[in-house]
Amino acid sequence: MKHLTLAAAIALLASPLLAGQCPADIAAIDAALAAGTELSEADLATVQELRDEGQALHDSGDHDASVQTLAEAKTLLGIE
């Protein structure tokens, strides 16, 4: 029972932390795009789609999915 309570508490605390990570990831992606990149047009389009999807997921409250989606965009851009 203690483990279940601890897991629930961690889950509740992690969600706000992830919510704060999304805007930072979006800002990092935007800055990298503004600075310019050598990605192909297709890869740039994919990054923009992932960035927009991550923003929409964040806005809807699905921060776990937002963080994962934004991480894909950051990987394509070569940033961390």
Side-chain angles (χ1 to χ4, degrees):
M1 186 66 160
K2 288 182 185 179
H3 295 297
L4 182 59
T5 303
L6 180 60
I10 290 171
L12 288 173
L13 294 174
S15 188
L17 293 176
L18 290 175
Q21 181 177 345
C22 302
D25 287 346
I26 291 166
I29 292 166
D30 289 345
L33 290 172
T37 178
E38 295 181 13
L39 292 177
S40 68
E41 290 295 319
D43 285 342
L44 280 174
T46 300
V47 167
Q48 189 62 51
E49 288 173 14
L50 289 167
R51 182 249 182 254
D52 293 344
E53 181 182 349
Q55 176 78 56
L57 289 165
H58 169 75
D59 292 343
S60 72
D62 191 351
H63 302 290
D64 290 333
S66 176
V67 168
Q68 290 175 346
T69 301
L70 294 169
E72 289 180 51
K74 288 171 62 177
T75 298
L76 282 172
L77 285 168
I79 59 174
E80 188 52 38

